[in-house]
Structures are given as structure tokens and as C-alpha cells.
Amino acid sequence: MKNILTAPFVTETGKTAANMYRMGFDERNSGNISIILDENEVGEYLDLSGVIRGIPLDFDAKALGGKILIVTASGSYFKNIADAPEENLGIVRISPDGKTAELLWGLKGGGRLTSEFPAHIMSHAARLSADNENRVVLHCHPTNILAMTFVHELDERKFTHTLWQMCTESIMIFPDGIGLLPWMVCGTNEIGIATAEKMKEFRLVIWAMHGIYGSGKTLDEAFGLIETAEKAAQVYMLTAHLPRVNTITDEQLRSLAESLKLDYREDFFA
């Protein structure tokens, strides 16, 4: 059996976490990552019948019954994941009835799954209903996205439109727009349900005054979505207090989207 520490899904998670920490997206132990894994690939590294312990779930995870995921641990510092993956990550399989997460590897020393596990599982289920190739959900706290929610109207149509105008590539990367939720208590089933409802429509969902959720087929895709939205928000925060001399017009945005044959949200134009 291959060494689990060399598995791509372990090493890539560590690299992405370190990059997110370096960029200031995940200070201290904030943020979380979950990835649905291929059972056959995991089987090359782990005995899938060797359940270390069962972790009871207080929400219905039946939609992901039988799925195997790699997940960040509660309290894990993103800068440490690559160096100590067994302590800071866990590989779990959701039981068929959706009531238990069966620990197959990791969470060494009695660690717990991220407190946002309900939001991740619910978001995965929602994204799979829209795109059966979705595998990744990321949550982090990009500085400018967070700042923008304090000074910009919390209307997802207007918020998206503003970000589209900040960088040419924005409408290219998230033509489907960005969902928005008001401030809510984190780590609860309620915020998980609300996020999942938005995830049926959007690949990016902002938690006002808190952070953002991104999803995708790969780590690169999900992280790239967040990275692009954050760059646009940074441009907004650098210019919002200044007179607007130039802008990307709606006509130009539509022209770009149509030239690239993007399935963009026409209803998100002002």
C-alpha cells in the first residue's frame, strides 16, 4: 500500500492551505477545506475497512452517504497543515444513513472536524445537484472581500456587478455571479442550510462581515474563483473613495461575455 503522506490529495491540500495562509486569507486557525475523493484512489493508500472511530453528525448528511472526503481539522493552523497533515487533516467516509462520519485517517490525537463541516457537506450536496463534477469547497477570510461587505450595499446583483466592473477578468471567471448572505452565527446548521441554498445557484457565496465560500471541480478552480473576486474587491477598496474617471461599461462587459460565449447573468446588470 502506498504512503498516505505522498498522496496527491494530501500534499495538494497542504500546499493550497499554505498558499491561502501566505496570502492572508486564513489567519491563525480560520478557514476550512473539504474535498470529495475518489474511492479507488484512496484505496491505494488506506484500508477502507479500517474505521478508526465514528464521529456522530447532528445534521442529515445522507446526500453524501458513502462519499469519502479529506477535511481540515478544527483549530488547525493553515501554515502547519503541510508539515503535520495527520494532525491537521482527516479523511472520513459519510455513512449511508448520513448520521456518522467514519474516520479513516488523520485527526491524530483526538482532533475534531472543522466546526463548519455541516456547511461544507450541505454545500457539496447543493453543488453536486448543479454540477456532478464538483469536488471542492473552500472557506476563507479574504481581506478586501470582508472590507467591502462593510461599505457596499449587500445586494448580490449590485455586489457582483461592482466586482465585474473592477477587473476585466471578473466576468470571465465568475459570469454566474456571487451569492450573498447577511451576517449569521458561524458553525451552525442554520448557516450551512442558508449557504447550501445559495450554492445551488452560485459557486461563490459571501458571508457578510465574515468571509467567502468557493467551490469547484479542483482546488485550483475553487481557489482561483476566490482569488479573482478578492483582487476585484481590492481594486474597489482602493478606488471607492475617489472620483470615478473611467469605468468598464455594461456594453463593454456584455461584449466581452458574448465574445467568449459565457453563460453570464444578464439580470445582474444595473
Side-chain angles (χ1 to χ4, degrees), residues 15-33 76-79 138-146 204 210-214 219-234:
K15 288 177 182 177
T16 299
N19 194 31
M20 293 171 77
Y21 175 83
R22 179 184 60 81
M23 296 183 72
F25 289 5
D26 292 282
E27 70 285 351
R28 200 175 184 270
N29 64 317
S30 72
N32 17 82
I33 299 172
S76 59
Y77 283 50
F78 270 35
K79 69 183 180 68
L138 301 179
H139 170 55
C140 58
H141 305 160
T143 303
N144 292 285
I145 287 286
L146 179 59
L204 287 170
H210 183 143
I212 193 169
Y213 263 68
L219 274 169
D220 280 349
E221 180 183 339
F223 181 69
L225 278 168
I226 294 172
E227 190 177 25
T228 304
E230 168 65 2
K231 169 59 73 67
Q234 181 181 21

Side-chain angles (χ1 to χ4, degrees), residues 7-57:
F9 47 82
V10 172
T11 59
E12 289 172 12
T13 301
K15 288 177 182 177
T16 299
N19 194 31
M20 293 171 77
Y21 175 83
R22 179 184 60 81
M23 296 183 72
F25 289 5
D26 292 282
E27 70 285 351
R28 200 175 184 270
N29 64 317
S30 72
N32 17 82
I33 299 172
S34 65
I35 308 168
I36 298 174
L37 304 177
D38 178 81
E39 182 176 345
N40 293 327
E41 184 179 10
V42 179
E44 296 178 12
Y45 298 91
L46 294 175
D47 175 6
L48 299 183
S49 65
V51 177
I52 298 170
R53 57 185 165 98
I55 303 170
L57 302 177

